[in-house]
Amino acid sequence: MKGGPKIPRRALDGVLLLDKPLGLSSNDALIKAKRLYLAKKAGHTGTLDPLATGLLPLCFGEATKFSQDLLDADKTYEATMRLGVRTTTGDAEGEAIESREVACDEAAVEAAIERFIGEIVQIPPMYSALKRDGKPLYEYARAGQTVEREGRQVTIHALAMIACALPLVTFRVTCSKGTYVRTLAEDIGEALGCGAHLTALRRTGVGALTLENAVTLDALAAMTEAERDQTLQPVDALLSTFPAIRLDDAATARFLHGQRLKLAEVSSAGLEAGRVRVYAQEGGRLLGVAKAGEGVLAPERLVVTAN
């Protein structure tokens, strides 16, 4: 017996700041949100582990063209680690493999944390999606195998303890892409001589985006379609750190055909070389992203608007 008629999907453009719940994968969260919006096209901007909660920006329609910019952005987290116990995965999902006495005090913890600010080298965890010979590391780990991993340089821009009730320590970290917060917790634990694992992780910021306007799946499910649509941020919410440039009608038409423009011909006073967001002067709509430099404005990604 066949099911009922297919519900038509909608062409939506925008960014949803989702507050992902505990226990749900990023992909499952995306599927649920896409279904609620009946959206034709959607994607996420980098995964959060099921045990992590917090900010997961989801892109709909034309916004998916700019999701890479968030993949490359710095991230901010609040994390809790338990000193004295190491686990197979570096977090509470794994089995305990070693217990040691926690002989340090709060001052020692704070001093150890401060040592990790700046550029550091991390060994990626075995329980990660990084690939070796085409196979994710976690598949080797589940088979009881350990393979050699090269250290990777990451940057810890800010790191501060926000609560200490030993053996539990909560800290806030702002870090570059590719940073493993559970590895950071393990390394802090080793620096203190007692080991550690992550017990909670909440992402509070991705680039310039924060949890301030984020909504939960439960809240979305309780809304009307119109209310849900109002929660979407505009496409250029992903591009707020780029300088803006506006084009007149003639330049807009050429830009949308992928033509390079001379910076001298467009409104570019004081514009430095680099990536910019480009708008039409008439109506102020977003046209796309371009690279400015060597006297030219070169289109990179264009926004397609339905007529």
Side-chain angles (χ1 to χ4, degrees):
M1 184 178 172
K2 289 186 177 180
K6 271 194 172 181
I7 300 172
R9 295 277 171 171
R10 302 191 296 149
L12 283 176
D13 299 321
V15 181
L16 173 67
L17 302 183
L18 182 69
D19 187 346
K20 189 190 83 65
L22 188 69
L24 201 64
S25 74
S26 295
N27 202 50
D28 286 342
L30 171 67
I31 290 168
K32 286 177 183 289
K34 188 179 178 185
R35 191 178 294 137
L36 283 168
Y37 280 94
L38 297 174
K40 279 185 179 177
K41 184 179 180 184
H44 58 64
T45 55
T47 57
L48 266 182
D49 289 342
L51 281 185
T53 66
L55 187 59
L56 181 67
L58 301 179
C59 297
F60 293 91
E62 289 297 292
T64 58
K65 294 179 177 178
F66 308 104
S67 59
Q68 182 65 42
D69 298 305
L70 283 197
L71 285 170
D72 295 338
D74 294 336
K75 316 289 192 301
T76 299
Y77 300 90
E78 287 186 3
T80 299
M81 61 181 174
R82 188 189 191 285
L83 300 180
V85 179
R86 289 177 56 238
T87 69
T88 50
T89 58
D91 59 21
E93 206 169 21
E95 297 175 8
I97 51 175
E98 184 186 18
S99 294
R100 283 184 261 173
E101 183 187 357
V102 180
C104 56
D105 59 11
E106 185 174 329
V109 174
E110 193 151 18
I113 281 175
E114 287 177 0
R115 286 164 46 191
F116 287 86
I117 298 172
E119 291 187 351
I120 63 171
V121 174
Q122 284 191 332
I123 304 291
M126 280 300 302
Y127 280 89
S128 67
L130 287 179
K131 291 189 175 178
R132 176 75 175 268
D133 298 329
K135 195 160 79 168
L137 289 179
Y138 62 76
E139 288 191 13
Y140 292 99
R142 286 171 184 166
Q145 301 172 13
T146 301
V147 298
E148 198 172 321
R149 289 97 68 208
E150 284 187 14
R152 303 197 308 177
Q153 187 170 290
V154 296
T155 303
I156 307 297
H157 300 290
L159 179 60
M161 184 169 69
I162 54 179
C164 184
L166 294 172
L168 296 178
V169 177
T170 300
F171 59 89
R172 183 181 294 111
V173 58
T174 299
C175 51
S176 64
K177 71 167 184 174
T179 302
Y180 288 94
V181 181
R182 56 198 155 104
T183 300
L184 178 63
E186 287 183 306
D187 291 347
I188 292 170
E190 287 307 310
L192 289 164
C194 58
H197 71 278
L198 210 62
T199 60
L201 183 65
R202 182 161 176 76
R203 188 158 69 188
T204 59
V206 179
L209 303 177
T210 68
L211 271 172
E212 187 181 348
N213 296 310
V215 291
T216 64
L217 286 170
D218 287 345
L220 285 173
M223 293 176 185
T224 64
E225 182 179 285
E227 288 170 337
R228 271 195 290 272
D229 288 355
Q230 286 175 0
T231 67
L232 291 180
Q233 308 286 315
V235 173
D236 59 1
L238 302 178
L239 310 170
S240 62
T241 57
F242 296 169
I245 191 169
R246 302 188 186 283
L247 305 180
D248 62 24
D249 289 350
T252 292
R254 290 169 57 201
F255 183 83
L256 289 177
H257 281 93
Q259 295 178 20
R260 290 153 67 98
L261 306 174
K262 289 182 180 176
L263 283 175
E265 297 174 348
V266 298
S267 171
S268 58
L271 188 69
E272 295 181 9
R275 300 179 75 206
V276 296
R277 50 196 160 116
V278 183
Y279 296 88
Q281 217 159 42
E282 184 68 35
R285 73 180 178 94
L286 179 69
L287 304 176
V289 168
K291 199 166 187 178
E294 299 181 354
V296 232
L297 188 71
E300 272 192 350
R301 296 190 201 114
L302 302 179
V303 170
V304 177
T305 305
N307 293 321

